[in-house]
Amino acid sequence: MSKNTAGQAIKAQAALADTRFKSYWLDSIDVDDDEAALQHDDRCDLLVVGGGFCGLWAALQAREQNPERNVMLIEAYSVANGASGRPAAIMSTSVMHGIDNTERIFPADVAELERLGRENMDAFRATLERYAIDCDLEWGGEMKVSIGDQGLEAIDDDYQLYLKYGHDAVRLDKAAVQAEIHSPIFHGGTWSKQRCGTVHPGKLVRGLKRAVLTAGVRLYENTPLLAARKTAGGISVDTPGATITARKVLLATNAWAAGHPHISRRVAAIRDRIVVTEPLGEEQMQKIGWQNRQGIYDTRTQLNYMRLTADNRIVFGGRLDYFYGNDTDPTLDKTAQPYIRLVQSFYRTFPQLADEIRFAYAWSGPIGLTTRMAVHYQKYFDGNMVFAGGYSGFGVTASRFGARIGLAIVDQQDIAETRMQFAQTLPGYIPPEPFRWLGARITMYALDTLDEKGGWRGWWVKMVQKMGFPITM
Ligand SMILES: Cc1cc2nc3c(=O)[nH]c(=O)nc-3n(C[C@H](O)[C@H](O)[C@H](O)COP(=O)(O)OP(=O)(O)OC[C@H]3O[C@@H](n4cnc5c(N)ncnc54)[C@H](O)[C@@H]3O)c2cc1C
């Protein structure tokens, strides 16, 4: 370790001295009391399992489509316990983890998936208005940036795709991107301006929970699904206090599904980390620019992403990790140590703030990762129980779409969307433990040291790409 890097690490440690290791989004609002846990056996037409964005959107849309339908939603802990209470919450129009990823996985369907993405975002917005959900929406757009020159080709490719599919996008050269956001490491960017931006996910999830209750969904928190089996009456779901018999079940359990022996063949529980600064003062805001308040992310696999909060904190994320056995609650992530490298990335991005900034919050969250990086559907019990998930790093708004199609699939509706490839096929196979853990560690190490050391690392990264993962360096 160079003297400079060691110095930065010590500075980062000090900046994390008073940090709270919990989600800023949930700590900064009044969260509603939990709904009671289920204590009596019950029946329903549709049981949704998991109270994140996907489950809440599924339950809400099910009741909106048919107000007579008897819909139950069970959540193992409190709603927003998972990724939905912890994202950066940069909103994208894409329902397939970005326009470039859409072209990578479904090249023949890009136009239609983009159209569905626009439709989804308009319906998302209309729903928030209908239920008066106030969640600090800011429509500053999403901006992808190149760190140094390495990502410029990807930025150009994205820009061409944006033009081809009718986005209101601009390509920014080094001077233009640095005029927007004063970071010396940004060498170019593509800024898509319409139907995207940022949201307060804690307020959004709280609003969706209230909407779900208003719509007549029967919601039970602290009620985990323990087991499910096919019975004459439908599907029986055991919880600690009662058994539910449901005609249909939609599993919206995201990364937790990686603990399920079948689902986990295609889903891994990856960890993604975030640090949040204290609110910036006026002078500090001037130092960074960012007048248009875009949601920003870069082109690399070990990427960084960032945004501002309503009270001008910087939310800065990245440093993916994996814990043995798809651990969805690693104790290590409640300490400063795993956030030090993220803070060092922050210093490289905003060196003008490095000597004066402190981090009020740090946390990590579970990402349900697949080779596609986008929602897919796994069918069980003759298609009457469906897992919908795998949004990877882009699910805040895509989960509304994923839930809508998940409902259509579990209801066995023959509509244009359920005939599309994304709904009909599965992402690639991911090996089980201990190969999963070993593979993840080697990949992360290879990505961190490839530039410096080369050698076998390039070969390894290519092999992981061949497995279907969209790795960039
Ligand atoms: C650090 C981080 C940053 C991110 N940044 C962004 C971003 O900027 N933009 C974006 O679009 N997306 C982002 N994402 C991704 C986004 O948050 C997720 O895609 C989205 O929240 C997934 O929603 P979900 O409902 O599928 O999963 P979750 O919110 O994880 O919900 C799953 C729920 O299921 C519950 N559950 C699990 N097992 C059971 C069981 N047996 N019984 C009952 N309930 C159960 C869990 O407790 C949990 O509440 C980010 C994610 C993370 C972690």
Side-chain angles (χ1 to χ4, degrees), residues 48-56 74-92 205 223-226 252-257 270-274 305 307 317-318 363-368 388-399:
V48 179
V49 182
F53 287 133
C54 183
L56 291 164
I74 57 170
E75 159 56 47
Y77 305 92
S78 307
V79 300
N81 158 67
S84 303
R86 303 157 190 248
I90 297 167
M91 299 186 292
S92 174
V205 98
T223 303
L225 170 153
L226 300 177
T253 47
N254 186 29
W256 280 263
I270 299 289
R271 234 38 222 177
D272 199 356
R273 300 193 173 101
I274 284 183
Y305 48 87
R307 57 162 292 182
W363 69 88
S364 71
I367 290 214
Y391 300 97
S392 302
F394 257 132
V396 168
T397 48
S399 52

Side-chain angles (χ1 to χ4, degrees), residues 300-315:
R300 302 163 302 170
T301 298
Q302 263 303 10
L303 83 171
N304 290 123
Y305 48 87
M306 60 214 82
R307 57 162 292 182
L308 293 164
T309 60
D311 63 348
N312 288 338
R313 298 166 189 265
I314 299 178
V315 175

